Amino acid sequence: MANTWLPPAEYVDTLPRATAYACLYFTDTAGRPFQLRATYQTRQWQWPGGNMDPGETPWETAVRECREETGLVFTGEPRLLAAHFVTDRGEDWPANHIGFIFDGGELTDEQIAAVVLDPEEHSEYRLRTLDEWEREMHPREFARLVEIDRARKTGATVYVETGATGA
């Protein structure tokens, strides 16, 4: 079989589709993960972040989305905690979804008190221990939280896959 070279635009059309998101993972000074309650998704709890805009890097996305969703202006350096791959989510979202979870560090009491949520996206934020989060989250989502928290504590970057029903 002879190799057939395709022009880049045609070749790209043959590749699987994917979208990308980026977010920041925060804890308070006691190590309790900070999460936002979404008003518009089936995944109830999430970290400040969202889908990448054209021309944006994952890091730029995470910082922008954090500011838009919480009012917090993050000035730290990028430290990747995890890459997250979500398989095809069905007809409603006919593409894989790739995520970049960055370490946002510890929020002080003053920073937490200054959080201002966009009510169209999030109804509240919470800080909970992992044991408390386990009681509030779907098991697949909680497993992802545990992996991200472990990455933060160990300094290792993790890779997480989530199936269509856990997205």
Side-chain angles (χ1 to χ4, degrees), residues 8-146:
E10 288 180 40
Y11 174 69
V12 168
D13 283 342
T14 70
L15 298 175
R17 298 288 183 252
T19 57
Y21 78 91
C23 58
L24 288 168
Y25 176 73
F26 293 103
T27 61
D28 66 2
T29 56
R32 298 179 304 167
F34 172 86
Q35 295 197 85
L36 309 174
R37 183 189 293 268
T39 60
Y40 57 91
Q41 288 185 346
T42 57
R43 186 166 55 84
Q44 201 170 31
W45 293 102
Q46 56 189 226
W47 303 306
N51 290 323
M52 289 175 53
D53 285 343
E56 246 181 355
T57 68
W59 177 244
E60 290 167 339
T61 299
V63 171
R64 174 185 55 78
E65 287 281 348
C66 178
R67 183 186 69 255
E68 290 174 3
E69 294 180 353
T70 66
L72 298 174
V73 177
F74 186 75
T75 59
E77 294 296 317
R79 182 167 108 62
L80 185 66
L81 294 176
H84 179 215
F85 185 81
V86 183
T87 58
D88 183 26
R89 298 189 282 184
E91 292 177 20
D92 291 343
W93 194 279
N96 294 315
H97 202 46
I98 301 167
F100 301 88
I101 298 112
F102 293 97
D103 189 355
E106 293 181 347
L107 295 172
T108 64
D109 291 343
E110 293 79 20
Q111 289 171 309
I112 294 165
V115 168
V116 177
L117 299 178
D118 176 349
E120 292 191 19
E121 289 196 54
H122 300 99
S123 59
E124 66 179 301
Y125 66 85
R126 288 191 188 165
L127 292 144
R128 300 282 184 260
T129 66
L130 288 178
D131 288 341
E132 292 168 329
W133 279 123
E134 185 174 20
R135 291 189 290 273
E136 293 192 42
M137 297 176 73
H138 186 282
R140 281 180 292 248
E141 291 300 313
F142 179 71
R144 184 174 68 132
L145 171 62
V146 168

